[in-house]
Amino acid sequence: MFNIIIFSVIALSIFIYTVVNLIKKNNSNYVFSLIPEFMGLIINFVCILLKVEPSVILLIIMYIFSVIIPIIMLILEKRKINLSEIINIVKANYYEKREQYDLARKQLVYNASRYPNNFLSHQKLGEWYEKNGELEKAESEYLKIIELKPKKYENYYKLALIYNKDQKKDEAIEILKEVLKRKADYLDASLCLGSTLYETEMYKEAINVFQDALKYNPGEYKLYYYMGMTYTRINDFPNAKEYYKKAATINSTLDVAKLNLGQIYLIFKEYDEAEKYFMKCIENDDEEIQAEAYFYLSKIKLINNENNLAVQYANIALELEPTLIKKMEKDIYFATILGKLKIKEEKNVKTKLNKEEKNLINYLDKTYGVVQNLTSKRKGVMY
């Protein structure tokens, strides 16, 4: 009977504590706790009346009902999480899965209004607004979340992402700077701040952010890649080349960096090095990277007067990305082989390249054209 005595003392103490708090705080969490506690005490009482030693399984059930569940409820209370609040969130998720979006939204709005000082309700509602494109309302919820948990820096970062979606770049930059003052090693915030500065053409500021981040994350390939992109935009190609190489070394699957490297070597007329990197790119499963690589391989072959290979590479490029014909038609090197090219119907190209990466490829291509024109003018040749 020793086990029953120990259990009785623990369970009864917790039960009395729960009843007192229910009366004192009028918190519905305690109702959810009292029911299993009472059931555990009833089982215990029956065992005492019958003078029966509970089996191990029965004792485990009693402890789960009267000790473990109440402790979990106390932990939830300490974290300001209400069980009925969680039930409402589960309901909202259920409605969303059934595509009853209006009901899901109402459930989350109700939760946030009923529990105004609870972090979880505002977080779920903020996520809902963001996912459904109601960015102003999402911003409002995340500001409330930050007010409730000012030291949870992930929420500052999420708010910055929403600001970026809403084209509020200045607000995103300010909040990310504030986060990095408090947590300088926060990689996601550094990447987001640097890329936002890059998008607003504040290239030198972006470089400073990436360099600071490298102090804490020297093995992060994204930082080297973004550094390469940013140095490219200020026409510092030697530095861009070094950072692209580091990014491609750390992440051997980063073929967009290899493509950019090939383009830079092409600008400097280092055709063998350029070809080496373009050849690596054609093994990629990204059709746009493959197509661009074949396009430049074709150009190198034309420069070297290997027209047959140039035609082969150009046709593969067009098979992958038919719209490249427009680029070929504007390029003086392709003039001699245009009649041998197979024009294809436009199609959806499989690519993971984002807008900035595509813009950078085009920028390097235009830079190559400018360099070629300047070189030709010095030689007295006009294209």
Side-chain angles (χ1 to χ4, degrees):
M1 297 296 287
F2 180 72
N3 287 332
I4 290 182
I5 294 169
I6 294 293
F7 172 81
S8 299
V9 172
I10 296 172
L12 194 58
S13 300
I14 293 174
F15 186 79
I16 292 169
Y17 175 84
T18 306
V19 171
V20 170
N21 275 280
L22 174 64
I23 296 168
K24 187 178 177 181
K25 298 181 181 180
N26 193 26
N27 188 331
S28 60
N29 263 6
Y30 294 109
V31 174
F32 293 111
S33 181
L34 279 172
I35 294 170
E37 284 182 56
F38 185 71
M39 289 173 65
L41 285 171
I42 288 294
I43 295 170
N44 183 56
F45 180 69
V46 170
C47 289
I48 291 173
L49 280 180
L50 298 176
K51 297 181 181 181
V52 176
E53 182 77 22
S55 65
V56 174
I57 293 174
L58 191 61
L59 196 61
I60 289 171
I61 292 171
M62 289 161 59
Y63 269 97
I64 289 172
F65 281 0
S66 294
V67 179
I68 295 174
I69 290 177
I71 288 172
I72 290 171
M73 300 302 292
L74 288 172
I75 292 170
L76 290 174
E77 183 195 3
K78 290 290 181 184
R79 295 186 177 182
K80 295 184 178 180
I81 297 173
N82 195 298
L83 188 58
S84 58
E85 177 186 17
I86 294 172
I87 291 170
N88 288 337
I89 289 169
V90 170
K91 283 182 185 177
N93 290 338
Y94 170 76
Y95 290 139
E96 188 176 359
K97 284 180 181 178
R98 291 176 62 88
E99 298 183 0
Q100 296 174 293
Y101 300 116
D102 191 50
L103 286 174
R105 182 179 181 278
K106 284 179 180 177
Q107 193 71 63
L108 292 170
V109 170
Y110 168 77
N111 240 19
S113 60
R114 185 177 178 185
Y115 308 106
N117 296 318
N118 281 22
F119 166 82
L120 187 60
S121 289
H122 291 286
Q123 183 185 44
K124 291 298 179 183
L125 185 56
E127 289 171 356
W128 165 268
Y129 283 138
E130 182 186 2
K131 186 165 60 175
N132 289 277
E134 298 181 59
L135 298 180
E136 292 283 348
K137 291 180 179 178
E139 289 166 21
S140 177
E141 291 302 320
Y142 272 98
L143 285 169
K144 180 66 178 178
I145 290 166
I146 289 168
E147 181 187 325
L148 292 170
K149 290 202 173 183
K151 291 184 179 179
K152 191 164 183 177
Y153 301 121
E154 181 186 356
N155 293 310
Y156 294 84
Y157 167 67
K158 287 182 178 179
L159 178 59
L161 293 179
I162 295 170
Y163 279 143
N164 271 329
K165 284 184 183 179
D166 206 17
Q167 297 304 311
K168 295 181 179 179
K169 303 293 183 183
D170 291 341
E171 288 89 339
I173 289 168
E174 287 307 310
I175 201 166
L176 288 166
K177 283 182 177 178
E178 187 61 34
V179 171
L180 289 169
K181 281 181 187 175
R182 303 181 191 187
K183 188 173 173 58
D185 62 344
Y186 192 173
L187 176 60
D188 285 340
S190 295
L191 288 168
C192 189
L193 176 57
S195 60
T196 305
L197 291 166
Y198 175 94
E199 288 168 15
T200 52
E201 299 184 5
M202 300 169 70
Y203 299 124
K204 291 183 180 178
E205 292 87 342
I207 287 170
N208 289 336
V209 170
F210 293 136
Q211 283 178 333
D212 286 341
L214 280 171
K215 297 173 187 175
Y216 304 98
N217 306 277
E220 179 51 59
Y221 77 91
K222 289 180 184 177
L223 291 170
Y224 293 103
Y225 174 60
Y226 287 139
M227 286 282 277
M229 288 178 67
T230 313
Y231 274 119
T232 299
R233 281 295 190 174
I234 60 174
N235 294 329
D236 186 346
F237 297 120
N239 264 322
K241 188 166 36 173
E242 290 308 309
Y243 281 103
Y244 282 136
K245 281 182 179 178
K246 287 178 182 176
T249 300
I250 295 170
N251 185 353
S252 60
T253 64
L254 192 63
D255 285 294
V256 65
K258 295 169 190 172
L259 183 68
N260 295 149
L261 269 169
Q263 288 179 286
I264 291 172
Y265 278 116
L266 196 60
I267 290 168
F268 288 109
K269 299 184 178 180
E270 298 179 48
Y271 300 125
D272 289 343
E273 282 297 309
E275 184 173 356
K276 181 178 77 175
Y277 282 103
F278 292 137
M279 289 301 291
K280 289 178 180 179
C281 292
I282 65 175
E283 299 169 5
N284 192 268
D285 58 359
D286 190 297
E287 289 184 345
E288 190 153 350
I289 289 177
Q290 282 184 318
E292 291 287 347
Y294 277 115
F295 168 82
Y296 288 114
L297 285 169
S298 180
K299 179 178 280 193
I300 290 170
K301 295 307 173 186
L302 287 167
I303 291 168
N304 293 330
N305 295 314
E306 299 177 60
N307 286 16
N308 289 335
L309 262 177
V311 170
Q312 289 179 34
Y313 286 143
N315 278 324
I316 296 172
L318 291 173
E319 184 75 35
L320 293 163
E321 171 56 289
T323 60
L324 280 176
I325 189 63
K326 297 173 185 176
K327 192 189 285 192
M328 292 175 185
E329 287 170 345
K330 294 177 183 177
D331 194 315
I332 190 66
Y333 285 111
F334 285 86
T336 57
I337 65 167
L338 280 175
K340 298 178 182 180
L341 300 183
K342 299 174 183 177
I343 312 301
K344 303 288 183 179
E345 289 185 8
E346 290 190 20
K347 65 168 190 173
N348 291 324
V349 179
K350 296 176 184 177
T351 183
K352 294 178 182 177
L353 294 178
N354 60 39
K355 180 183 175 182
E356 290 302 326
E357 288 169 333
K358 291 178 183 180
N359 287 342
L360 195 67
I361 291 167
N362 291 331
Y363 177 78
L364 283 167
D365 193 52
K366 288 175 183 176
T367 302
Y368 174 81
V370 170
V371 171
Q372 285 302 106
N373 283 333
L374 289 173
T375 304
S376 300
K377 286 176 183 178
R378 291 193 193 106
K379 293 179 179 179
V381 178
M382 294 298 291
Y383 285 155

